[in-house]
Amino acid sequence: MRQVVKVPLKSNSVKDIKNGYPLLVKDAIKDSEVVMQEGNLLYLVDLNGAFIGTGYYGKQNKGIGWVLTRKEKEEIDVSFFERKIREAVEKRDRFFASEDTNAFRVFNGEGDGVGGITIDFFNGFYMVSWYSEGIYSFRKDIYQALNEVVDALGIYEKLRFDTNGQYLDQDDFVSGQKGEFPLVIKENGMNYFVDLNDGAMTGIFLDQRNVRKALRDKYAKGKTVLNTFSYTGAFSVAAILGGAAKTTSVDLAKRSLPKTLEQFSANGINFESQDIKVMNVFDYFRYEERHGLKFDIVVLDPPSFARTKKMTFSTAKDYPKFIKDTLKITNDDGLIIASTNNASFNMKKFKSFIDKAFKEMNVGYKILEEHQLPEDFAVPHNFPEFNYLKVLFIKVRK
Ligand code: SAH
């Protein structure tokens, strides 16, 4: 039997949870002596001992667990998870029926009622990401539930937790048929190769789908495009298929070169007319500036934090500087597509970073488009703080 721990909450948190706030933070707990272990069910009560909700304990960077239900009689069992997954799948029927997209998020943690777990669909295969040992302890029930709801060709998983913050390198195959990787998926008619069994990342960030489409359909035609922090070159592919004059993809990781060539080949793109540079973006900026080279469109999508031999950066601190560097190599009437997935600041703050940078450079601008998470990356109602993705299409007016 799973252990149940009674957890008294502070009155502020009682109010939040009653309003539907799904996250349990350490500070919400009234009695700091309560002992909880990964995977414990938490019987959440107010200061009078009245039931508020049932949650589970699972430490993540965001908090110490998630609320699962506010109905006292609701059991947390296979049928609970089945209901949640079925609801999530039904919400995505438009995606399942789509002819030109077959990779998307099926279950987005707290946005679909169970924080700490996400499930993505890749052309018949499912990939489950577990964000704490606590939620992973429900693995058997959740896989049983998933298999009741969907007919998966095969299931893979990512363990996004461990003791020292490192990704556990392991075989990610769970059940069903093994995939042949790279597996080709389709997104708005574009092809991308993914590998569900090759470390923490798959080759594509599905949450940027609408951004790639907008770049391809509305902006890329005839333009020179610089794709910084390009990873497997997904934005470059979209730009080329949108008729870009030329793309340059820059990423520090050695694997980015073969991976980008692979994405090009998946779309019949002649790679010889494109540039792929394996180097530090900041060195590249200096190189371009020295040579007076400028681009019509620059995509700026840095990781939230990074450490190289020479420097460390965080987007929460350094974004204005990134924009200033970018402006130096952007044409007078160019476009900057600025993106961040740093959950520690919101869209308003992000806009203030952009504004600061342009003001300090004495350059005018206009925001043409604003994107956050796409529809399949469901976010809890009324809690925009879980909508971590922020993307701005910024028209430069030098
Ligand atoms: N924009 C990409 C995703 C970027 S992931 C996409 O949409 O697919 C972040 C990437 O930044 C990683 O591939 C990592 O190798 C790269 N990176 C981190 N620090 C870097 C640096 N200083 N210079 C160049 N690339 C860097």
Side-chain angles (χ1 to χ4, degrees):
M1 264 307 267
R2 192 170 285 274
Q3 199 180 327
V4 182
V5 184
K6 191 168 181 172
V7 179
L9 299 175
K10 292 180 185 164
S11 46
N12 271 348
S13 301
V14 168
K15 212 169 87 207
D16 289 347
I17 291 172
K18 280 185 171 168
N19 285 330
Y21 190 69
L23 182 64
L24 275 175
V25 291
K26 195 159 175 232
D27 194 44
I29 293 165
K30 179 74 184 167
D31 177 0
S32 56
E33 305 286 287
V34 185
V35 179
M36 295 169 285
Q37 276 166 353
E38 292 287 324
N40 285 168
L41 281 176
L42 309 179
Y43 185 83
L44 308 168
V45 295
D46 67 13
L47 295 180
N48 303 316
F51 174 85
I52 300 299
T54 302
Y56 76 89
Y57 185 79
K59 252 183 159 163
Q60 271 178 251
N61 57 358
K62 285 179 191 158
I64 58 161
W66 296 93
V67 180
L68 294 171
T69 179
R70 284 180 283 144
K71 294 181 200 141
E72 188 164 8
K73 293 264 147 58
E74 192 163 44
E75 298 279 341
I76 307 305
D77 52 12
V78 176
S79 81
F80 170 82
F81 292 116
E82 194 184 319
R83 286 193 301 280
K84 294 289 167 188
I85 295 172
R86 193 176 301 284
E87 229 173 82
V89 164
E90 280 166 8
K91 262 211 252 170
R92 275 87 171 169
D93 55 357
R94 192 174 65 79
F95 286 93
F96 280 102
S98 167
E99 304 233 316
D100 59 7
T101 297
N102 60 20
F104 52 90
R105 180 146 294 186
V106 171
F107 195 94
N108 195 40
E110 64 277 12
D112 286 297
V114 183
I117 178 176
T118 64
I119 307 176
D120 294 322
F121 179 78
F122 292 97
N123 193 10
F125 290 86
Y126 286 79
M127 194 187 81
V128 180
S129 299
W130 306 92
Y131 287 87
S132 72
E133 213 179 311
I135 191 67
Y136 196 61
S137 72
F138 292 92
R139 180 178 195 263
K140 198 168 150 275
D141 286 359
I142 292 179
Y143 279 130
Q144 192 182 328
L146 178 62
N147 282 309
E148 291 288 337
V149 180
V150 304
D151 194 7
L153 277 179
I155 299 177
Y156 283 78
E157 69 181 5
K158 302 284 174 203
L159 272 48
R160 316 291 307 235
F161 61 91
D162 77 357
T163 42
N164 57 17
Q166 288 295 305
Y167 181 76
L168 289 178
D169 214 2
Q170 46 150 28
D171 188 344
D172 294 333
F173 176 69
V174 177
S175 63
Q177 178 185 318
K178 288 199 172 178
E180 288 208 17
F181 301 121
L183 170 79
V184 69
I185 61 105
K186 222 180 239 317
E187 180 190 277
N188 292 312
M190 296 180 272
N191 294 326
Y192 287 105
F193 275 129
V194 298
D195 190 334
L196 306 185
N197 205 1
D198 182 26
M201 303 199 283
T202 62
I204 190 151
F205 289 98
L206 296 175
D207 55 2
Q208 297 278 16
R209 178 189 314 111
N210 296 342
V211 180
R212 285 187 284 267
K213 185 173 193 302
L215 171 61
R216 180 191 67 183
D217 295 350
K218 297 197 245 170
Y219 302 97
K221 193 153 201 247
K223 305 291 195 216
T224 54
V225 179
L226 173 64
N227 182 9
T228 64
F229 306 95
S230 55
Y231 182 42
T232 65
F235 283 120
S236 307
V237 167
I240 296 162
L241 296 180
K246 186 184 171 179
T247 65
T248 303
S249 307
V250 185
D251 196 293
L252 193 58
K254 286 203 180 65
R255 56 151 203 247
S256 68
L257 175 65
K259 292 276 185 193
T260 302
L261 291 175
E262 195 175 273
Q263 301 299 23
F264 287 171
S265 74
N267 292 282
I269 293 165
N270 175 8
F271 61 87
E272 282 172 15
S273 46
Q274 311 298 329
D275 260 351
I276 304 170
K277 311 250 184 215
V278 176
M279 67 189 286
N280 191 318
V281 163
F282 304 100
D283 293 338
Y284 186 75
F285 279 159
R286 277 193 292 276
Y287 167 88
E288 289 292 318
E289 209 188 323
R290 261 201 324 273
H291 291 80
L293 295 169
K294 293 195 170 179
F295 295 88
D296 299 321
I297 301 179
V298 182
V299 179
L300 185 63
D301 181 28
S304 293
F305 310 94
R307 176 173 294 154
T308 65
K309 275 173 226 146
K310 279 190 248 161
M311 67 182 296
T312 40
F313 70 77
S314 97
T315 46
K317 184 165 67 50
D318 300 313
Y319 218 104
K321 187 181 166 301
F322 293 173
I323 292 284
K324 288 204 262 181
D325 286 345
T326 305
L327 264 173
K328 293 179 193 154
I329 57 161
T330 308
N331 276 330
D332 289 359
D333 59 348
L335 179 78
I336 298 174
I337 301 179
S339 169
T340 179
N341 60 4
N342 191 328
S344 77
F345 57 87
N346 63 14
M347 182 61 107
K348 196 170 160 214
K349 184 91 187 168
F350 187 43
K351 285 182 178 168
S352 79
F353 292 160
I354 306 295
D355 194 60
K356 180 174 187 297
F358 275 81
K359 287 223 166 92
E360 286 178 12
M361 294 291 283
N362 231 330
V363 173
Y365 70 96
K366 187 179 178 209
I367 292 174
L368 302 183
E369 286 196 29
E370 190 174 323
H371 291 261
Q372 292 213 259
L373 288 174
E375 207 186 326
D376 48 328
F377 284 68
V379 177
H381 293 299
N382 307 324
F383 300 102
E385 61 263 49
F386 295 102
N387 198 334
Y388 55 84
L389 184 69
K390 299 165 277 291
V391 186
L392 297 170
F393 285 53
I394 312 159
K395 182 90 191 156
V396 178
R397 291 172 159 168
K398 280 188 195 163

